Amino acid sequence: MFEKEKMIEVAKTGRSKCRGCKQLIAKDEMRFGEEVDSLYGDGDIATLWYHLKCAAERRPNELRETLDKFQGKIPGRAELDQLLANNKGKKAGGGGGKYPYAEKAPSGRSKCLKCDKTIDKDSIRVAVEREVEIAGVMRPSAGYLHPGCAVAFTGDKKLGAALKTNSKLTDAELAPVLKQL
Ligand SMILES: [Zn+2]
Ligand SMILES: [Zn+2]
């Protein structure tokens, strides 16, 4: 196995896609790369690329760490530091607490916010953030939806894109969910 690295570099081509905003990263633009195990389970390493600003949103801790080690000059560094400061303490994305995301229901106890029916154990549910009153205080908490109920409940036409970004599911697990949206 290789040691996985994180890096900041100038994009050598204009072909890499940002995992944050899903747009192409222009040639010669600075990008943040994070090596991960390839999805295909073949022991290969894939690199996920982000615009620096998108990395500040999605991978603030990883970007900060890499920036600290980076020797070169970064255009818009002050703005980047500001973004990172704003995102301090936020949990990283990738299904680590960023809503909305899709996941396998660990039990058959959760109820759909939209249709009020229970969500079957091991079926895929969509988690959204909502405010819940706990002991008289409004606190953010997760609510769950059937994929087929999710767009109707949230009114979010771009829900699929957000789920793709935030969920830990594999593409194969996520594909049927996206179809039901
Ligand atoms: Zn981007
Ligand atoms: Zn439902």
Side-chain angles (χ1 to χ4, degrees):
M1 284 302 284
F2 303 92
E3 181 79 25
K4 291 197 204 57
E5 291 192 41
K6 299 180 188 66
M7 69 216 83
I8 291 170
E9 60 165 45
V10 172
K12 298 175 196 91
T13 71
R15 290 196 302 270
S16 59
K17 232 184 191 182
C18 172
R19 298 288 294 193
C21 66
K22 312 287 178 192
Q23 305 295 312
L24 289 172
I25 300 170
K27 186 174 185 302
D28 297 331
E29 194 172 341
M30 303 291 284
R31 63 183 181 181
F32 168 72
E34 185 178 15
E35 291 184 341
V36 297
D37 286 321
S38 154
L39 278 179
Y40 305 104
D42 49 12
D44 256 358
I45 298 278
T47 306
L48 305 182
W49 296 108
Y50 298 82
H51 294 109
L52 292 185
K53 276 190 202 168
C54 296
E57 284 289 333
R58 305 279 184 178
R59 313 293 292 155
N61 299 333
E62 290 76 5
L63 178 63
R64 187 190 311 276
E65 192 186 302
T66 312
L67 269 175
D68 285 346
K69 286 186 231 151
F70 187 74
Q71 304 291 332
K73 217 172 134 62
I74 293 175
R77 174 72 196 256
E79 194 187 348
L80 213 53
D81 284 338
Q82 187 59 49
L83 272 175
L84 281 171
N86 293 344
N87 287 332
K88 208 174 190 172
K90 259 197 213 167
K91 279 193 209 151
K98 202 160 174 2
Y99 296 98
Y101 61 87
E103 65 173 12
K104 222 178 243 179
S107 76
R109 290 194 303 271
S110 58
K111 255 191 182 177
C112 175
L113 291 173
K114 172 77 179 155
C115 68
D116 214 33
K117 297 204 174 77
T118 53
I119 299 171
D120 289 340
K121 182 172 189 306
D122 291 332
S123 72
I124 304 291
R125 65 185 184 184
V126 175
V128 294
E129 189 169 29
R130 57 178 181 151
E131 297 273 310
V132 176
E133 195 177 315
I134 300 167
V137 186
M138 295 304 282
R139 292 177 194 277
S141 158
Y144 302 102
L145 291 153
H146 296 110
C149 297
V151 170
F153 182 82
T154 59
D156 185 357
K157 295 269 190 297
K158 291 193 192 120
L159 190 62
L163 292 182
K164 259 193 213 167
T165 308
N166 298 342
S167 305
K168 276 187 196 156
L169 299 173
T170 63
D171 287 352
E173 285 171 316
L174 201 54
V177 178
L178 298 175
K179 270 193 208 144
Q180 290 174 61
L181 293 180

